[in-house]
Amino acid sequence: MKTALLLTNSAGTQRLLTEVLGEKTNLVLLPAPVDPTREKFDALFTTWLRLVDAVILDAAALGETTRWAVESLSGAQLQERQAVVVRATATQRTLYPMPANWLIVSDTDTTEQLRQSLGTFFELRDAQAKLKRADAVIARQRVAVPARPAAAPQVHTAPGSAASFDSYRYRDALKNISRVLGERHDERTLVTEFARLVRELLGAGKLAVFQRSEESDQFVATANAGLPPEVTGHLRLTLDAGIGHYLTSTATIVRRIRQSDPYALDYDPEVAREFELLGTETAVPMFDGDRLLGVLTFSARLTGEPVTNEELELVYHLMTQLAQALRNVRLQEQVAAQQRLLSEVLANVQSGVLVVAKGGRILSLNHRARTLLEVETKDSAGQELSAVPSRVADVVFESLETGQEIRQREVVLPRSNRPLSVSVTRFAANGELVAVALIEDLTQVKLQQAQARELADKEFFTRLSARMSHEMKNALVSIKIFAQLLPQRYTEKEFREQFSTTVANEVNRVDVLVNNLTFFGQPLVLVCEELVLSDVIDACLNNVSREFARKQVAYLLNVGEKAPDALNVPVITVKKNFSHKLARLEADKIRLMQAFEHVLRNTVQAMPSGGRVAISTSDATPADFADGQLPAGGAVRIEWQDTGEGISLENLPRVTEPFITTRNVGVGLGLTIVKKILERHGGRLEIDSLLGRGTTVKMILPVQTQPHPDDALVAAAAKNAGSPPVSTGEEHDEEGDRLLQAREKQRRRRS
């Protein structure tokens, strides 16, 4: 890499020349001396000319100071390889005489013009230098070389001479170097200490270590002794030319003596120039595989004695060991940096993180986890799992023992009543089983859910009250009209019969509306017991069959049965396919039958001309749940499929909303009630339909009733002994007994 000295007071000129010269030129920026004189410029050039390949003088920016700079530079002893470029105005070119071999460029040249001028100038100088050297080599080859004597005397080195090893001194030095390479140091300290010991080992006057930069392919001095700072601070070795290029291409040690003859065939002027700037005699490479990582260069001994080949070979192997040590240091720094990053991430992450080994020993517990779990000890690493609350510890222990991944298990801390979500994963790390638990605070989530439910309930009851008032008004209007006509038409038998029927129907309609309003007006109480699912479905079929037969709306019969003769109502064929393996489940029998009967009534009413109903059951799979996990104990899937009229696509998303109905009978609350009953059990309702092809109602029902937000409200109501129970059934008013049974069952469970 060429080094150019730029004298300017203009930042714009610096940016311009940096862009023009590119990365292959090391540009050293120097401002003009304060109170410039000829003597100050002479001192400046004396210091810097031996370090650079070119001098660029920005006369346009220096102004009148240019006179002293030009005079000083003209009188300086420039080497043949050094070039001078002056960027001047037209007036300055007239005022200040400059040597003919300098390149004078105009201050008005564009970037492209300046790039072309400098490129042509430097290429021409390099070509002239190569031609001159080639001419000299050819001239030398024409000179006859005297023949070598046949038997030249062999030179032996006397024992104890300077060229022989001092075994004891080298042994101690190698011990010290091995100790340094084996100790844990940062990279700069390791290189500095290594350079000091190698200098003592060789007895060199000057020594420097150049290391490859991570950002580029330049080599920067990281350790030196005996070299001036302006040399090590600005000189850069590269892979394109000079010592770096030579070592990369040959992979051998290079000596200055081999590069001292400019007329030799393997002469490299860049190598010679860098040795001259450094004042050293030898350069030893440091490789990592085939990649050059660094260069060690040193001068001759202080005593003037040369360094032997054996010593150079030893230094080469020491450089290999240094490369290995540096690689280890960098790996350790990377590992340490990753550990620091991981520690920072764990310390600042908003989730609590708990890491536990197989034996129940805590490996890590971040600050957030300590706050959530109310662990007072700041350093919990190494403690037993019992140091954290038992409800969280039980979840972690379960994953450690079973190996199953636990996702978002909800627990409540007894002391603070704080709801937490715990997710645990077990894996093997370094041959040891480790469980990592992520702990989330659900306080805000629960609060937001409660607020969302409150808003939804407000919206629901707003719509409910509007529809209820409308339905009740319709019923009361009919009653009012007949009541007004009663005195006038009381003697008419037909009117009295119509009056009696209408009033009874409307009153019954109002009664149903009031009961439904009561159903939605308070938390739903469940009295759960162990049930056989197939028995509940059969009982539901019997109830609905008798109801429709009594009302002469439809006749239900099983597949294979024959309908009675002279039947004037539609026939509905029922096909059952019970394939679930989880035969028993925990649920409220009355509420479950209420939901089943609502669905079956809708199914039968959707087939006014008759049809088929298929009732099938099966075990639910993880895909039936949004989180991809089955609840504890499993779940069952119940499907009701009919061949009725179906539901249009625009009405399908709204069929579970209150007062949404596609028929002339009913008030449109049946599926709304079904949805609430299923959700209260921890299940859900899905409806799929195609207009004109039929409807499929799918119920997902956990085998064990899952926790629900209404549980807290029910518990609070159970504690309030002074409040009489309110009937919540449409056809049952034994709610007081059911609530008492629920309290008794809860008491027995707690005991």
Side-chain angles (χ1 to χ4, degrees):
M1 172 181 283
K2 292 184 179 297
T3 302
L5 178 66
L6 172 61
L7 265 70
T8 183
N9 291 328
S10 171
T13 302
Q14 181 188 2
R15 290 193 297 269
L16 174 64
L17 290 174
T18 301
E19 179 183 354
V20 169
L21 296 176
E23 297 181 354
K24 293 187 177 181
T25 301
N26 180 25
L27 199 63
V28 179
L29 175 65
L30 286 181
V34 181
D35 298 328
T37 61
R38 168 68 185 272
E39 290 75 16
K40 290 186 177 180
F41 274 107
D42 288 344
L44 184 147
F45 288 127
T46 301
T47 302
W48 287 98
L49 281 181
R50 62 191 182 89
L51 303 176
V52 298
D53 301 288
V55 177
I56 303 176
L57 188 64
D58 185 15
L62 296 179
E64 296 181 359
T65 307
T66 304
R67 179 169 62 109
W68 304 117
V70 171
E71 290 181 1
S72 177
L73 197 56
S74 300
Q77 294 182 353
L78 297 176
Q79 299 182 19
E80 186 178 0
R81 61 179 175 79
Q82 292 178 321
V84 178
V85 179
V86 181
R87 183 173 180 266
T89 64
T91 304
Q92 289 173 329
R93 282 181 284 179
T94 305
L95 291 176
Y96 309 128
M98 303 178 194
N101 60 341
W102 289 9
L103 174 65
I104 314 299
V105 297
S106 174
D107 63 327
T108 60
D109 285 351
T110 63
T111 302
E112 191 58 37
Q113 289 174 336
L114 190 59
R115 181 181 289 111
Q116 185 175 359
S117 299
L118 292 178
T120 304
F121 177 67
F122 287 126
E123 289 176 3
L124 181 59
R125 288 183 60 85
D126 291 342
Q128 290 173 346
K130 292 178 181 179
L131 287 174
K132 186 175 181 180
R133 179 173 172 270
D135 291 340
V137 171
I138 293 173
R140 170 175 288 192
Q141 290 176 347
R142 291 174 180 173
V143 179
V145 180
R148 182 178 179 180
Q154 197 170 25
V155 180
H156 297 277
T157 304
S161 65
S164 63
F165 276 113
D166 184 345
S167 59
Y168 294 102
R169 182 171 68 87
Y170 273 84
R171 186 182 303 167
D172 293 339
L174 291 177
K175 285 182 179 179
N176 292 333
I177 293 176
S178 299
R179 175 182 54 79
V180 169
L181 295 178
E183 291 177 349
R184 288 192 173 184
H185 295 289
D186 61 88
E187 187 170 336
R188 180 171 290 277
T189 303
L190 176 62
V191 174
T192 302
E193 190 67 14
F194 177 84
R196 182 184 67 81
L197 293 174
V198 171
R199 187 188 183 198
E200 293 178 0
L201 174 68
L202 299 175
K206 298 179 180 180
L207 182 144
V209 177
F210 287 81
Q211 285 183 263
R212 193 170 187 167
S213 173
E214 295 294 336
E215 293 79 15
S216 65
D217 287 335
Q218 297 183 12
F219 292 78
V220 182
T222 55
N224 74 88
L227 275 74
E230 58 267 19
V231 174
T232 56
H234 294 87
L235 181 62
R236 301 289 186 268
L237 305 183
T238 68
L239 298 175
D240 299 329
I243 294 175
H245 175 70
Y246 187 95
L247 293 175
T248 302
S249 58
T250 64
T252 59
I253 298 173
V254 58
R255 290 190 176 192
R256 182 179 182 181
I257 191 172
R258 297 176 58 183
Q259 301 293 327
S260 60
D261 186 359
Y263 302 109
L265 291 175
D266 59 348
Y267 174 73
D268 188 333
E270 282 295 320
V271 175
R273 185 185 72 84
E274 290 175 352
F275 270 131
E276 181 182 352
L277 291 175
L278 292 168
T280 56
E281 303 292 332
T282 308
V284 181
M286 178 173 65
F287 284 100
D288 182 11
D290 59 349
R291 187 171 186 263
L292 184 65
L293 292 184
V295 178
L296 170 67
T297 180
F298 51 88
S299 65
R301 301 180 192 275
L302 293 173
T303 59
E305 298 170 350
V307 179
T308 65
N309 291 336
E310 290 82 358
E311 290 174 312
L312 290 178
E313 184 177 353
L314 174 62
V315 173
Y316 182 88
H317 290 299
L318 289 177
M319 291 293 286
T320 303
Q321 295 181 23
L322 175 62
Q324 179 64 38
L326 289 174
R327 183 163 57 247
N328 293 338
V329 168
R330 290 173 181 173
L331 289 175
Q332 291 172 0
E333 290 177 349
Q334 291 176 3
V335 172
Q338 291 176 355
Q339 290 177 343
R340 288 193 298 270
L341 175 62
L342 180 60
S343 299
E344 289 295 326
V345 170
L346 291 179
N348 294 283
V349 72
Q350 292 302 310
S351 299
V353 180
L354 170 63
V355 184
V356 181
K358 173 65 176 176
R361 178 172 51 89
I362 298 177
L363 300 179
S364 178
L365 186 70
N366 70 344
H367 176 72
R368 180 61 174 166
R370 290 197 301 271
T371 302
L372 294 177
L373 300 179
E374 302 173 359
V375 177
E376 299 178 357
T377 306
K378 186 174 182 180
D379 187 8
S380 303
Q383 295 188 12
E384 296 298 322
L385 186 57
S386 56
V388 303
S390 59
R391 297 192 178 181
V392 176
D394 291 344
V395 179
V396 178
F397 183 77
E398 177 185 342
S399 179
L400 272 174
E401 291 298 315
T402 63
Q404 294 182 351
E405 181 179 1
I406 298 175
R407 294 185 182 180
Q408 299 178 346
R409 177 81 60 82
E410 290 190 18
V411 299
V412 178
L413 299 183
R415 186 166 63 179
S416 62
N417 203 32
R418 185 199 299 268
L420 300 177
S421 170
V422 183
S423 301
V424 190
T425 302
R426 191 188 78 172
F427 60 93
N430 297 326
E432 183 181 16
L433 291 177
V434 175
V436 177
L438 295 181
I439 305 169
E440 300 282 352
D441 187 1
L442 297 181
T443 303
Q444 291 299 324
V445 175
K446 295 292 185 181
L447 180 61
Q448 292 174 0
Q449 290 176 349
Q451 292 174 347
R453 286 196 303 271
E454 183 178 356
L455 291 175
D457 289 344
K458 287 181 179 179
E459 181 183 0
F460 173 80
F461 281 107
T462 298
R463 290 188 288 119
L464 184 64
S465 61
R467 292 302 301 267
M468 286 286 291
S469 62
H470 177 74
E471 295 294 331
M472 293 184 69
K473 184 177 181 180
N474 290 340
L476 292 175
V477 166
S478 300
I479 296 175
K480 182 179 179 181
I481 292 175
F482 274 93
Q484 291 174 346
L485 295 175
L486 182 61
Q488 303 173 9
R489 304 179 60 181
Y490 180 75
T491 58
E492 300 178 13
K493 181 179 180 181
E494 182 180 354
F495 176 80
R496 292 197 304 271
E497 292 176 354
Q498 187 178 4
F499 174 81
S500 176
T501 303
T502 302
V503 170
N505 290 339
E506 296 301 332
V507 170
N508 183 63
R509 183 178 181 183
V510 171
D511 184 58
V512 171
L513 288 173
V514 172
N515 286 335
N516 286 331
L517 182 62
T518 305
F519 178 88
F520 292 108
Q522 62 184 10
L524 185 61
V525 179
L526 296 184
V527 180
C528 295
E529 57 184 305
E530 192 175 78
L531 305 173
V532 178
L533 180 60
S534 57
D535 293 345
V536 177
I537 295 176
D538 288 337
C540 166
L541 283 170
N542 292 332
N543 292 342
V544 175
S545 297
R546 288 196 299 269
E547 175 186 343
F548 281 106
R550 183 178 68 253
K551 295 179 179 180
Q552 295 185 352
V553 175
Y555 188 85
L556 278 66
L557 53 84
N558 294 322
V559 174
E561 295 180 351
K562 186 178 179 181
D565 296 333
L567 194 63
N568 296 324
V569 296
V571 176
I572 307 297
T573 304
V574 179
K575 179 181 180 182
K576 296 183 291 185
N577 181 21
F578 297 158
S579 59
H580 60 281
K581 298 178 182 178
L582 303 170
R584 296 181 177 273
L585 69 157
E586 181 185 277
D588 187 318
K589 182 178 181 180
I590 295 177
R591 294 304 181 195
L592 207 57
M593 288 191 62
Q594 185 179 1
F596 290 173
E597 289 177 5
H598 271 302
V599 173
L600 189 56
R601 288 193 191 97
N602 286 346
T603 298
V604 173
Q605 291 170 355
M607 298 180 289
S609 301
R612 296 186 303 276
V613 177
I615 306 173
S616 59
T617 63
S618 61
D619 293 335
T621 63
D624 291 319
F625 293 87
D627 59 358
Q629 282 192 329
L630 284 170
V636 294
R637 183 194 301 111
I638 310 164
E639 293 188 4
W640 312 74
Q641 185 176 7
D642 63 53
T643 58
E645 302 168 348
I647 306 171
S648 63
L649 290 178
E650 57 270 19
N651 291 330
L652 186 60
R654 303 172 57 242
V655 292
T656 58
E657 296 180 8
F659 300 106
I660 300 298
T661 179
T662 59
R663 295 175 282 104
N664 295 325
V665 295
V667 294
L669 289 174
L671 290 179
T672 310
I673 294 173
V674 173
K675 181 180 178 183
K676 183 170 183 179
I677 292 174
L678 291 177
E679 290 178 349
R680 186 64 179 82
H681 282 81
R684 62 189 180 89
L685 177 69
E686 290 184 5
I687 300 176
D688 187 20
S689 183
L690 188 62
L691 193 62
R693 301 292 296 273
T695 302
T696 300
V697 177
K698 181 167 68 173
M699 300 177 175
I700 307 298
L701 194 63
V703 171
Q704 299 176 2
T705 302
Q706 302 298 301
H708 191 273
D710 286 350
D711 290 341
L713 299 177
V714 173
K719 290 181 180 179
N720 189 3
S723 300
V726 182
S727 174
T728 60
E730 185 175 330
E731 299 175 357
H732 310 279
D733 56 1
E734 68 273 12
E735 194 66 30
D737 294 337
R738 288 164 51 78
L739 190 57
L740 291 175
Q741 293 174 10
R743 292 174 184 166
E744 180 63 21
K745 185 171 291 187
Q746 291 173 355
R747 186 189 65 77
R748 289 199 302 269
R749 286 180 178 177
R750 286 196 297 268
S751 62

